[in-house]
Amino acid sequence: MPSLHHALTPAHAALDLIARMVAALELTPLVSVCSFDRDGVIRFCNQAYADMLGVKVEAAIGQAMSTLCSHGVRQAEHDAMVEEVWRNGHSPPAGDWHVKTGDGRELWLYSTCIPVWHDGELAQIFCMQVDITQRRMDFDALKAAGVNFHHMFQRSSDAIFLLRDGVVEEANPAAVCLFKCEGPERLVGRSLHDFSPMTQPSGQLSAEAEASMAEEARQGGNARGEWHYVDCEGALFWAEVLLTAISLDGSNLYYVVVRDISERKRAERALYLAAQVFENSRDAIVLTDRGRRVIALNRAFTDITGFSPQDMLGKPVSLYRSGVHDESFYREVWAQVDASDHWEGESWGRKQDGALFPCWTSISAIRDSAGRVSNYMGTVTDITERKKTEEHTRHLAEHDFLTDLPNRVLLLDRLRLALAAARRNHALLAVLFVDLDRFKMVNDTLGHSVGDRLLKEVASRLVHCVREADTVSRQGGDEFIIVLSDVAGPEGAAHAADSVLHALEQEFVLGEHIAHVSGSIGIAMFPADGDEIDTLLKNADIAMYHAKQEGRNGYQFFSGEMNARVVERSGLEHGLRRALAEQQFELVFEPEVDIASGAVVGMEALVRWRHPEFGVLLPERFIDVATEAGLMVAVGNWVLEEACRHARGWQDEGRELVVSVNLAPVQFVHKDLLDCVGKAMRMAGLPPRLLELQLTEAMLMQGGAQTETVLGKLRGLGVRLSIDDFGTGYSRLGQLKDSPIDKLKIAQSFFERGTDATAIRTIIAMARSLDMTVIAEGVETEAQLQLLRELGCDQFQGHLAGVVAGAGLGEEAGGGHQP
């Protein structure tokens, strides 16, 4: 149900103004008001008009004016005047009209007609009339009084002047009072236009207007008009003037009656404004009587709803309810109107064709001078477009700008509702945390625009993997969360996870690019893994992390053991940040020995973390954590700079040893790689020929054309390049041939389960064909070394190399045989 509003909003204030104007139309006792269309049918009238004609308001509206009154012998003249208004759109001069009502009464009306325009077209004629019947009777009696004239002159409540040849000869006390003079001497001997502004509202000079009225009175016996006067205190006021010519002694005598009509003119102005506002308001307005029967509606109401005056006039407004709200809603609305004279709020409206539309409705009670409700005014604003805008704004606030999936705000709301339903129905619920594997590689190598297209395609596939009742949300980056409502246990969650993994395994065609990614999924079940939103999301995240640790492209359910490991990982991440700041890292070096001469020709730099609590940690304990925490580039740059510094130290001692540094995948694709390599050599003063950078086969194969560009630029710096752990991947011979690689390192795995001589021989032969140096790592025995010598391998590493080189290198090679 819409909320009820009491505050006087700007819209409310505007409608309140309309209500007050309509109240003026309806309640003023000074002026009777009606409006009629081109067919002469009354479209609106106030109570004063209905009382004047002796009918009820609802009986007058919709009737032709000719059925309610006639103008006797002047009917043709009146009809011609009205037709002229419709033709030229100008107000005719105000005038007296003799009217006969339907019940036989004869009235004199002083009438003013005003055209009302709507959208550039003349819509209605608005008439304001003052009943002057009693005044005419008084005047006729005055003329018939004869000898009693002087007595009536002095006692009259109207201002009366006697003019001779245009000059005031006498002025009665009422005239002195009206013009606020100290005595009649301020008036006598002067013409009336001396008490007028230079021009009248019509634009005519006051002197000319007075002469014209006098001529009309001489020709017709009397003349009537409205006049602007200025009293003796300088205040301007409106007056109605009746000028009657009298023939006596050959002089031009005039009997002038002046009545102050300032209040009436103010009322007419208010009525005129009300008519214009009512007809031209963009809001639909409907006016009812105290019984809530429709007595008027404006053009906007018909434009918005399609209901015409003929459809609604005289009928209860309740017939036009939308049918959306129940009876209790309307009881509450009218109870508030009765209590405070106003209600406004959102509701539903119904058009003539049955269509529903959202609207802002305002209802105001209009009270008469006795404080009784006489009418109700309702305004209706179609807010369809505003609601669309609000919905669009709300959608933007609750959905991811890229994929249009629910964002975290909407996810939390959906998850809250889903949890409430699960608790109520004793049902199960699953939260799946999906993280894309290898997305960063795609984003960095193919560009962010391609990465964005990939994310949108992933979103589409995820939505098709779940039911309509489930929620798929993007949390940012390459992370998605799926909420499975009322899931059929862990098996149902596993089935959904399998569907997601299968969908992600299919290649993504992104314009001219083809991308391959997979997903790592963590699953948390309600209520087993938590009964609160934060707990479920955190545990699903923990499970996802373990899915990545287990080799990616899979899913893991949350367990307590996982949580303990994540706590450990969090501690490692915090410790890594301190390690960078406090220089807790150190390097050990593994010798690279020339097989033919037995000389040490190079050293591979291996990083260690001297943890203040756990002691020396090997890379496999912290490299993945550093990568996921975004710290690997910083760690890699420290290793690079420190290795170059050691190599320069050896050179200064007379030993030219090539230092070999492993590049992490994230380091290799980083935009500042070339600057970092150059900076490390410059800081150490190391010749580029003494620095060797190691890549893995995977880095070489997955990077595409961008990899060749980076390799070319590194070679341009003068550094050496090698492939680490060669033989464990799927290198293409053509790519190796075209890449500026100096050395292949035979993976240690070829010696772990018995020496694979065939594979080693093949790698050495291929390297020879590509003019590359071959080095074997993980050499432990003399037999393995002898085999390598026979097969033509150039260099070796491992425990045996450390023993051979240890005496000559001292502590530099200590522990270097460790992985």
Side-chain angles (χ1 to χ4, degrees):
M1 181 178 294
S3 59
L4 305 181
H5 299 267
H6 300 280
L8 194 63
T9 62
H12 185 171
L15 297 179
D16 183 62
L17 174 63
I18 296 175
R20 285 188 281 108
M21 288 184 169
V22 171
L25 274 173
E26 185 62 21
L27 303 177
T28 177
L30 297 173
V31 183
S32 62
V33 180
C34 72
S35 68
F36 56 88
D37 59 20
R38 284 186 178 273
D39 297 324
V41 175
I42 296 175
R43 292 304 175 199
F44 172 80
C45 71
N46 68 349
Q47 189 64 48
Y49 183 83
D51 292 345
M52 181 181 70
L53 296 184
V55 296
K56 292 185 176 181
V57 171
E58 55 267 28
I61 294 176
Q63 295 290 321
M65 290 186 67
S66 59
T67 65
L68 299 176
C69 63
S70 64
H71 292 82
V73 295
R74 298 186 67 189
Q75 184 66 50
E77 182 182 349
H78 178 269
D79 293 345
M81 181 270 291
V82 171
E83 184 59 34
E84 182 66 13
V85 176
W86 286 113
R87 188 182 66 80
N88 61 30
H90 296 148
S91 297
D96 295 352
W97 293 93
H98 182 256
V99 173
K100 182 176 288 188
T101 66
D103 57 5
R105 290 178 295 118
E106 294 189 9
L107 305 173
W108 278 95
L109 303 179
Y110 182 71
S111 181
T112 303
C113 292
I114 300 170
V116 177
W117 298 81
H118 182 84
D119 290 340
E121 295 184 1
L122 184 56
Q124 298 184 53
I125 294 178
F126 190 76
C127 290
M128 294 174 285
Q129 297 157 327
V130 178
D131 186 349
I132 59 171
T133 304
Q134 187 61 45
R135 195 181 309 167
R136 293 285 298 226
M137 293 173 61
D138 291 345
F139 178 65
D140 291 343
L142 186 64
K143 289 195 296 182
V147 296
N148 294 323
F149 174 78
H150 186 74
H151 177 75
M152 295 180 65
F153 177 83
Q154 293 295 327
R155 300 288 300 272
S156 175
S157 60
D158 288 329
I160 303 175
F161 296 88
L162 288 178
L163 303 183
R164 185 184 297 272
D165 298 325
V167 176
V168 175
E169 191 169 90
E170 286 191 63
N172 72 346
V176 173
C177 180
L178 176 62
F179 280 79
K180 299 179 181 178
C181 299
E182 296 175 356
E185 59 275 6
R186 288 287 304 275
L187 298 171
V188 174
R190 304 177 66 181
S191 64
L192 283 181
H193 72 256
D194 289 340
F195 295 90
S196 306
M198 181 172 292
T199 59
Q200 291 297 309
S202 64
Q204 190 176 18
L205 291 173
S206 294
E208 293 178 358
E210 184 182 51
S212 176
M213 181 177 286
E215 180 60 28
E216 181 183 349
R218 279 198 303 273
Q219 296 294 329
N222 59 65
R224 181 191 298 276
E226 293 176 351
W227 201 268
H228 257 173
Y229 283 115
V230 178
D231 62 29
C232 293
E233 294 179 356
L236 190 70
F237 67 95
W238 274 98
E240 180 184 63
V241 178
L242 177 63
L243 187 67
T244 302
I246 303 174
S247 296
L248 183 66
D249 300 331
S251 299
N252 291 321
L253 297 178
Y254 296 94
Y255 171 81
V256 184
V257 179
V258 179
R259 177 169 292 179
D260 186 354
I261 59 170
S262 298
E263 282 298 319
R264 193 187 83 194
K265 295 299 288 186
R266 279 192 285 271
E268 286 181 357
R269 179 62 181 169
L271 295 173
Y272 170 71
L273 289 175
Q276 296 292 346
V277 171
F278 184 83
E279 184 62 26
N280 291 284
S281 172
R282 293 187 178 275
D283 293 313
I285 303 175
V286 60
L287 193 67
T288 76
D289 60 18
R290 61 170 54 93
R292 302 176 192 168
R293 291 182 297 272
V294 178
I295 61 173
L297 58 148
N298 67 348
R299 176 75 65 88
F301 192 97
T302 299
D303 293 342
I304 291 173
T305 68
F307 288 109
S308 67
Q310 291 87 343
D311 296 326
M312 298 187 66
L313 290 174
K315 298 176 183 177
V317 73
S318 59
L319 292 177
Y320 302 92
R321 292 175 177 175
S322 66
V324 174
H325 309 289
D326 58 22
E327 188 60 35
S328 63
F329 168 76
Y330 294 105
R331 282 199 299 270
E332 186 174 354
V333 168
W334 286 109
Q336 186 164 319
V337 173
D338 291 341
S340 63
D341 285 351
H342 186 77
W343 174 89
E344 65 176 328
E346 283 188 21
S347 63
W348 285 92
R350 175 172 61 88
K351 298 186 178 184
Q352 188 184 42
D353 61 6
L356 299 176
F357 66 99
C359 55
W360 186 265
T361 302
S362 174
I363 301 173
S364 297
I366 299 173
R367 296 183 179 272
D368 60 21
S369 57
R372 297 184 300 266
V373 173
S374 61
N375 300 88
Y376 295 100
M377 187 187 76
T379 60
V380 178
T381 305
D382 186 343
I383 59 173
T384 301
E385 291 305 315
R386 192 186 86 188
K387 297 296 285 186
K388 288 180 180 178
T389 301
E390 290 176 354
E391 176 63 23
H392 179 65
T393 302
R394 186 191 64 79
H395 185 88
L396 291 178
E398 295 181 340
H399 288 77
D400 174 51
F401 74 96
L402 179 64
T403 63
D404 204 40
L405 291 177
N407 61 13
R408 186 172 181 83
V409 173
L410 185 54
L411 169 75
L412 294 178
D413 186 58
R414 297 262 186 95
L415 187 50
R416 177 181 59 80
L417 295 175
L419 280 174
R423 293 189 188 101
R424 187 169 57 249
N425 302 324
H426 304 289
L428 300 179
L429 177 146
V431 176
L432 279 61
F433 199 116
V434 182
D435 187 88
L436 299 184
D437 304 327
R438 299 190 300 275
F439 172 74
K440 182 170 177 55
M441 182 71 72
V442 173
N443 215 30
D444 290 341
T445 57
L446 300 182
H448 292 288
S449 61
V450 176
D452 288 348
R453 293 179 65 179
L454 173 61
L455 290 173
K456 288 194 281 188
E457 180 60 27
V458 167
S460 176
R461 293 188 187 184
L462 293 182
V463 169
H464 285 88
C465 289
V466 299
R467 303 162 301 177
E468 188 173 347
D470 301 325
T471 296
V472 179
S473 169
R474 180 181 176 225
Q475 297 300 286
D478 60 347
E479 295 179 344
F480 298 82
I481 289 179
I482 300 175
V483 177
L484 303 177
S485 303
D486 196 15
V487 68
E491 299 80 8
H495 177 73
D498 281 327
S499 298
V500 169
L501 292 175
H502 178 72
L504 296 178
E505 286 174 348
Q506 312 308 309
E507 70 177 16
F508 290 83
V509 180
L510 309 170
E512 60 184 11
H513 302 285
I514 295 178
H516 293 85
V517 298
S518 59
S520 295
I521 305 175
I523 305 173
M525 299 293 298
F526 167 85
D529 300 328
D531 60 358
E532 298 295 336
I533 291 176
D534 291 343
T535 304
L536 286 169
L537 291 175
K538 182 191 74 172
N539 291 344
D541 189 8
I542 290 171
M544 181 276 295
Y545 166 72
H546 284 278
K548 282 192 176 293
Q549 283 193 325
E550 292 298 319
R552 306 173 187 268
N553 194 26
Y555 62 84
Q556 288 284 326
F557 282 88
F558 173 78
S559 70
E561 179 187 354
M562 287 181 181
N563 191 46
R565 290 166 64 185
V566 165
V567 170
E568 179 187 359
R569 175 190 178 278
S570 178
L572 285 175
E573 180 178 331
H574 178 70
L576 277 170
R577 298 184 187 278
R578 289 190 61 185
L580 280 169
E582 299 176 4
Q583 298 292 309
Q584 294 175 7
F585 294 110
E586 58 186 44
L587 295 182
V588 297
F589 295 89
E590 183 172 349
E592 297 177 344
V593 179
D594 181 74
I595 293 178
S597 66
V600 177
V601 294
M603 300 289 279
E604 181 177 2
L606 302 172
V607 66
R608 300 289 186 264
W609 177 11
R610 189 167 295 278
H611 195 283
E613 181 180 354
F614 304 129
V616 177
L617 300 182
L618 299 179
E620 53 264 33
R621 285 289 303 277
F622 61 84
I623 290 300
D624 286 345
V625 177
T627 300
E628 293 175 14
L631 301 173
M632 196 57 233
V633 172
V635 173
N637 287 340
W638 181 88
V639 172
L640 189 60
E641 292 173 4
E642 190 69 6
C644 288
R645 187 180 65 81
H646 276 272
R648 175 65 193 198
W650 298 326
Q651 186 185 32
D652 291 343
E653 294 172 359
R655 296 181 293 172
E656 286 216 350
L657 299 176
V658 176
V659 66
S660 181
V661 178
N662 289 283
L663 290 180
V666 67
Q667 194 177 8
F668 179 68
V669 298
H670 196 271
K671 61 183 179 65
D672 294 331
L673 173 64
L674 294 171
D675 291 338
C676 291
V677 172
K679 177 184 176 184
M681 292 190 295
R682 287 193 304 274
M683 288 174 62
L686 184 69
R689 70 178 185 278
L690 297 182
L691 175 62
E692 180 178 283
L693 301 177
Q694 294 188 29
L695 295 78
T696 64
E697 284 185 273
M699 291 162 61
L700 183 66
M701 301 306 299
Q702 295 175 2
Q706 183 68 19
T707 297
E708 295 301 322
T709 301
V710 174
L711 291 176
K713 290 181 178 180
L714 287 173
R715 171 51 63 84
L717 292 177
V719 303
R720 301 176 184 229
L721 301 172
S722 67
I723 302 295
D724 194 15
D725 286 334
F726 188 80
T728 59
Y730 300 92
S731 300
R732 293 195 298 269
L733 182 61
Q735 186 169 5
L736 282 176
K737 178 174 68 67
D738 296 332
S739 299
I741 304 299
D742 300 291
K743 181 189 292 187
L744 296 183
K745 182 179 289 189
I746 299 173
Q748 183 176 347
S749 60
F750 289 103
F751 297 103
E752 288 177 345
R753 296 183 182 88
T755 303
D756 190 342
T758 302
I760 294 172
R761 180 184 293 108
T762 301
I763 294 172
I764 292 173
M766 183 185 68
R768 288 281 178 266
S769 68
L770 297 176
D771 196 24
M772 295 180 184
T773 300
V774 184
I775 182 172
E777 59 180 342
V779 178
E780 305 289 332
T781 67
E782 286 289 349
Q784 291 171 343
L785 178 58
Q786 182 57 33
L787 175 63
L788 292 172
R789 187 178 288 115
E790 292 172 358
L791 294 177
C793 185
D794 299 305
Q795 300 169 5
F796 76 99
Q797 284 179 274
H799 177 72
L800 189 59
V803 172
V804 171
L809 297 175
E811 294 182 0
E812 294 290 357
H817 63 283
Q818 301 178 63

